[in-house]
Protein backbone atom coordinates (compact mmCIF):
# COMPACT_ATOMS: atom_id res chain seq x y z
CA UNK A 1 0.00 0.00 0.00
CA UNK A 2 0.91 3.62 -0.13
CA UNK A 3 1.60 3.86 3.56
CA UNK A 4 1.51 1.91 6.80
CA UNK A 5 -2.07 1.07 7.62
CA UNK A 6 -3.32 0.28 11.10
CA UNK A 7 -6.69 -0.90 12.30
CA UNK A 8 -8.78 -0.25 14.19
CA UNK A 9 -8.00 3.43 14.57
CA UNK A 10 -9.90 3.46 17.84
CA UNK A 11 -10.86 0.62 20.13
CA UNK A 12 -12.76 0.84 23.39
CA UNK A 13 -12.92 -2.36 25.38
CA UNK A 14 -13.78 -3.56 28.82
CA UNK A 15 -11.17 -4.66 31.28
CA UNK A 16 -10.44 -8.35 30.91
CA UNK A 17 -11.30 -8.59 27.22
CA UNK A 18 -8.78 -9.54 24.54
CA UNK A 19 -7.97 -7.14 21.70
CA UNK A 20 -6.20 -7.50 18.39
CA UNK A 21 -4.50 -4.63 16.63
CA UNK A 22 -3.47 -4.94 13.02
CA UNK A 23 -0.65 -3.39 11.05
CA UNK A 24 -0.24 -3.57 7.30
CA UNK A 25 3.23 -2.26 6.44
CA UNK A 26 4.44 -0.71 3.22
CA UNK A 27 4.87 -3.38 0.57
CA UNK A 28 8.45 -4.60 0.44
CA UNK A 29 9.38 -3.40 3.90
CA UNK A 30 10.95 -6.33 5.70
CA UNK A 31 11.25 -4.70 9.11
CA UNK A 32 8.21 -3.96 11.24
CA UNK A 33 8.08 -2.37 14.66
CA UNK A 34 5.43 -1.90 17.31
CA UNK A 35 5.64 1.04 19.70
CA UNK A 36 3.33 2.29 22.39
CA UNK A 37 2.60 5.83 23.53
CA UNK A 38 0.72 6.15 26.76
CA UNK A 39 -1.11 9.38 27.58
CA UNK A 40 1.38 12.07 28.41
CA UNK A 41 4.26 9.66 28.01
CA UNK A 42 6.89 9.18 25.41
CA UNK A 43 7.12 6.41 22.90
CA UNK A 44 8.32 3.00 24.01
CA UNK A 45 9.49 0.07 21.95
CA UNK A 46 7.46 -3.14 22.12
CA UNK A 47 8.66 -5.59 19.49
CA UNK A 48 10.57 -5.80 16.23
CA UNK A 49 10.04 -8.17 13.29
CA UNK A 50 12.51 -9.03 10.60
CA UNK A 51 10.44 -10.88 8.08
CA UNK A 52 8.20 -13.20 10.09
CA UNK A 53 10.56 -13.66 12.99
CA UNK A 54 10.81 -11.46 16.04
CA UNK A 55 14.45 -11.18 17.09
CA UNK A 56 13.61 -8.66 19.76
CA UNK A 57 10.56 -8.96 21.97
CA UNK A 58 12.17 -7.27 24.91
CA UNK A 59 9.75 -4.39 25.01
CA UNK A 60 6.59 -6.42 25.51
CA UNK A 61 5.41 -5.36 28.99
CA UNK A 62 3.95 -8.67 30.07
CA UNK A 63 3.04 -12.14 28.86
CA UNK A 64 -0.43 -10.81 28.08
CA UNK A 65 1.11 -9.17 25.05
CA UNK A 66 2.01 -11.13 21.94
CA UNK A 67 2.54 -10.38 18.30
CA UNK A 68 2.92 -12.27 15.11
CA UNK A 69 3.65 -11.51 11.52
CA UNK A 70 2.66 -13.64 8.58
CA UNK A 71 3.88 -13.68 5.01
CA UNK A 72 6.43 -11.04 5.83
CA UNK A 73 3.61 -8.55 5.72
CA UNK A 74 0.68 -8.02 8.07
CA UNK A 75 1.32 -8.08 11.80
CA UNK A 76 -1.13 -8.52 14.64
CA UNK A 77 -0.51 -7.33 18.20
CA UNK A 78 -2.70 -9.18 20.67
CA UNK A 79 -3.36 -8.07 24.21
CA UNK A 80 -5.08 -10.63 26.40
CA UNK A 81 -7.09 -9.84 29.51
CA UNK A 82 -6.68 -6.12 28.97
CA UNK A 83 -6.00 -3.86 31.91
CA UNK A 84 -6.60 -0.14 32.26
CA UNK A 85 -2.88 0.53 32.12
CA UNK A 86 -2.87 -0.93 28.61
CA UNK A 87 -4.72 2.17 27.42
CA UNK A 88 -2.42 3.88 24.93
CA UNK A 89 -1.85 4.57 21.28
CA UNK A 90 -0.19 1.61 19.64
CA UNK A 91 1.96 2.63 16.71
CA UNK A 92 3.33 0.45 13.98
CA UNK A 93 6.26 1.38 11.77
CA UNK A 94 8.05 -0.30 8.93
CA UNK A 95 11.35 0.19 7.19
CA UNK A 96 12.94 -1.14 4.07
CA UNK A 97 16.56 -1.48 5.05
CA UNK A 98 17.13 -3.16 8.38
CA UNK A 99 20.50 -4.61 9.11
CA UNK A 100 22.35 -1.95 7.18
CA UNK A 101 24.18 -0.59 10.15
CA UNK A 102 21.52 1.64 11.51
CA UNK A 103 18.40 0.47 9.78
CA UNK A 104 16.43 2.62 7.42
CA UNK A 105 13.97 5.45 7.41
CA UNK A 106 10.90 4.60 9.43
CA UNK A 107 7.38 5.00 8.16
CA UNK A 108 4.71 5.14 10.83
CA UNK A 109 1.06 4.27 10.75
CA UNK A 110 -1.56 6.56 12.26
CA UNK A 111 -1.81 4.36 15.31
CA UNK A 112 -4.54 2.45 17.10
CA UNK A 113 -5.92 4.22 20.15
CA UNK A 114 -6.89 1.66 22.77
CA UNK A 115 -9.06 2.60 25.71
CA UNK A 116 -9.67 0.02 28.40
CA UNK A 117 -12.59 0.86 30.65
CA UNK B 1 18.97 10.88 33.82
CA UNK B 2 17.20 10.01 30.58
CA UNK B 3 19.26 8.25 27.98
CA UNK B 4 17.97 10.64 25.32
CA UNK B 5 17.39 14.19 26.45
CA UNK B 6 15.79 16.98 24.51
CA UNK B 7 15.69 20.67 25.13
CA UNK B 8 13.68 22.70 25.43
CA UNK B 9 10.63 20.69 26.47
CA UNK B 10 8.34 23.46 25.29
CA UNK B 11 9.02 26.26 22.87
CA UNK B 12 6.73 29.06 21.75
CA UNK B 13 7.91 31.40 19.04
CA UNK B 14 6.59 33.96 16.60
CA UNK B 15 6.08 33.09 12.99
CA UNK B 16 9.27 33.63 11.03
CA UNK B 17 11.65 32.96 13.90
CA UNK B 18 14.59 30.58 13.59
CA UNK B 19 14.00 27.52 15.77
CA UNK B 20 16.56 25.20 17.33
CA UNK B 21 15.75 21.99 19.19
CA UNK B 22 18.54 20.04 20.81
CA UNK B 23 19.01 16.36 21.52
CA UNK B 24 21.76 14.76 23.58
CA UNK B 25 22.07 11.04 24.07
CA UNK B 26 24.15 8.72 26.15
CA UNK B 27 23.22 5.41 24.54
CA UNK B 28 22.95 3.90 21.18
CA UNK B 29 24.97 3.78 18.05
CA UNK B 30 26.04 6.52 15.77
CA UNK B 31 22.73 7.40 14.17
CA UNK B 32 19.68 9.37 15.13
CA UNK B 33 16.11 9.93 13.96
CA UNK B 34 14.13 13.12 14.12
CA UNK B 35 10.37 12.59 14.15
CA UNK B 36 7.44 14.98 14.00
CA UNK B 37 4.16 14.28 15.74
CA UNK B 38 1.19 16.49 14.97
CA UNK B 39 -1.71 17.01 17.40
CA UNK B 40 -3.70 14.29 15.66
CA UNK B 41 -1.03 11.84 16.72
CA UNK B 42 0.45 10.79 13.39
CA UNK B 43 4.22 10.51 13.32
CA UNK B 44 6.37 11.43 10.38
CA UNK B 45 10.04 10.68 10.07
CA UNK B 46 11.87 13.90 9.24
CA UNK B 47 15.47 12.79 9.17
CA UNK B 48 17.68 9.85 9.82
CA UNK B 49 21.31 10.88 10.03
CA UNK B 50 24.59 9.42 11.09
CA UNK B 51 26.96 12.27 10.31
CA UNK B 52 27.14 15.88 9.32
CA UNK B 53 24.06 17.69 8.19
CA UNK B 54 20.89 17.07 6.24
CA UNK B 55 18.48 19.62 4.83
CA UNK B 56 14.90 19.24 3.69
CA UNK B 57 13.07 22.42 2.81
CA UNK B 58 13.15 24.68 5.83
CA UNK B 59 14.37 21.93 8.13
CA UNK B 60 18.01 21.27 8.86
CA UNK B 61 19.37 18.52 11.08
CA UNK B 62 22.93 18.25 12.30
CA UNK B 63 24.70 15.60 14.32
CA UNK B 64 28.00 15.45 16.17
CA UNK B 65 28.74 11.79 16.77
CA UNK B 66 31.70 12.40 19.05
CA UNK B 67 29.67 14.67 21.31
CA UNK B 68 26.49 12.56 20.93
CA UNK B 69 24.47 15.63 20.16
CA UNK B 70 22.07 16.58 17.42
CA UNK B 71 20.12 19.71 16.60
CA UNK B 72 17.03 20.29 14.52
CA UNK B 73 16.65 23.75 13.04
CA UNK B 74 13.60 25.29 11.41
CA UNK B 75 14.09 28.41 9.34
CA UNK B 76 11.29 30.91 8.69
CA UNK B 77 9.00 29.06 11.09
CA UNK B 78 5.30 28.83 10.29
CA UNK B 79 2.26 27.93 12.39
CA UNK B 80 1.99 24.63 10.52
CA UNK B 81 5.34 23.69 12.06
CA UNK B 82 3.58 23.48 15.41
CA UNK B 83 4.03 19.90 16.56
CA UNK B 84 5.99 17.72 18.93
CA UNK B 85 9.49 16.98 17.69
CA UNK B 86 11.06 13.80 18.94
CA UNK B 87 14.58 12.53 18.60
CA UNK B 88 15.26 8.83 18.82
CA UNK B 89 18.39 6.73 18.87
CA UNK B 90 18.75 3.13 17.75
CA UNK B 91 20.16 0.93 20.46
CA UNK B 92 21.59 -1.72 18.20
CA UNK B 93 22.94 -2.05 14.75
CA UNK B 94 20.57 -3.70 12.39
CA UNK B 95 17.23 -2.57 13.62
CA UNK B 96 15.31 0.41 14.80
CA UNK B 97 14.72 -0.51 18.40
CA UNK B 98 14.64 3.10 19.32
CA UNK B 99 15.05 4.92 22.58
CA UNK B 100 13.03 8.10 22.38
CA UNK B 101 13.46 11.52 23.81
CA UNK B 102 10.50 13.00 25.62
CA UNK B 103 9.84 15.42 22.82
CA UNK B 104 9.81 19.16 22.32
CA UNK B 105 6.41 20.77 21.94
CA UNK B 106 6.76 23.62 19.46
CA UNK B 107 4.09 26.26 19.06
CA UNK B 108 4.46 28.90 16.37
CA UNK B 109 2.23 31.92 16.85
CA UNK B 110 1.05 33.77 13.73
Amino acid sequence: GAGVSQSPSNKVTEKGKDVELRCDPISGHTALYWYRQSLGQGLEFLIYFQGNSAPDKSGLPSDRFSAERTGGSVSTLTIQRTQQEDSAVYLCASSKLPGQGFGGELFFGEGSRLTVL
Amino acid sequence: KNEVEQSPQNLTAQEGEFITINCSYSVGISALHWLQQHPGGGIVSLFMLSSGKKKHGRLIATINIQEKHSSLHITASHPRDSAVYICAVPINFGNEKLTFGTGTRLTIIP
Side-chain angles (χ1 to χ4, degrees):
Chain A
V4 179
S5 177
Q6 290 189 245
S7 61
S9 55
N10 279 286
K11 176 72 176 180
V12 180
T13 191
E14 294 180 346
K15 178 181 172 181
K17 300 283 190 183
D18 297 352
V19 297
E20 284 189 353
L21 307 176
R22 175 188 167 107
C23 173
D24 198 346
I26 292 172
S27 178
H29 282 195
T30 58
L32 185 148
Y33 307 85
W34 284 99
Y35 298 97
R36 177 170 77 169
Q37 188 173 36
S38 301
L39 184 64
Q41 303 295 314
L43 288 149
E44 60 175 324
F45 168 84
L46 296 179
I47 187 170
Y48 152 65
F49 286 93
Q50 169 65 5
N52 290 336
S53 64
D56 194 337
K57 306 178 182 179
S58 60
L60 294 177
S62 77
D63 58 9
R64 297 186 294 105
F65 287 72
S66 63
E68 65 175 11
R69 189 180 185 194
T70 56
S73 182
V74 172
S75 176
T76 302
L77 177 68
T78 302
I79 310 172
Q80 295 179 307
R81 305 181 302 282
T82 52
Q83 303 293 313
Q84 288 182 332
E85 62 263 26
D86 300 335
S87 296
V89 175
Y90 290 81
L91 288 153
C92 175
S94 69
S95 71
K96 188 175 182 180
L97 297 171
Q100 299 298 314
F102 47 82
E105 182 181 0
L106 283 173
F107 294 84
F108 284 83
E110 291 294 311
S112 293
R113 182 177 298 276
L114 174 66
T115 303
V116 182
L117 302 176
Chain B
K1 182 172 168 63
N2 290 333
E3 295 171 319
V4 181
E5 290 201 335
Q6 289 185 235
S7 62
Q9 291 186 347
N10 292 281
L11 177 57
T12 300
Q14 294 287 333
E15 182 174 357
E17 286 189 37
F18 181 82
I19 304 298
T20 296
I21 299 170
N22 295 300
C23 177
S24 295
Y25 54 98
S26 58
V27 295
I29 61 167
S30 53
L32 183 142
H33 294 257
W34 279 103
L35 310 171
Q36 179 192 55
Q37 186 171 33
H38 276 284
I43 293 178
V44 174
S45 175
L46 297 176
F47 295 103
M48 183 191 65
L49 66 164
S50 60
S51 65
K53 180 167 95 173
K54 284 190 176 181
K55 184 176 188 293
H56 181 69
R58 296 179 294 105
L59 274 61
I60 303 166
T62 63
I63 190 168
N64 184 317
I65 297 300
Q66 287 72 32
E67 295 184 4
K68 295 196 172 184
H69 180 271
S70 177
S71 293
L72 177 68
H73 306 285
I74 305 175
T75 62
S77 59
H78 190 276
R80 65 175 173 266
D81 297 327
S82 298
V84 176
Y85 292 84
I86 303 166
C87 67
V89 178
I91 297 297
N92 302 309
F93 279 102
N95 69 66
E96 298 310 304
K97 178 182 178 180
L98 300 174
T99 295
F100 296 87
T102 53
T104 295
R105 183 175 299 278
L106 175 65
T107 303
I108 302 298
I109 299 172

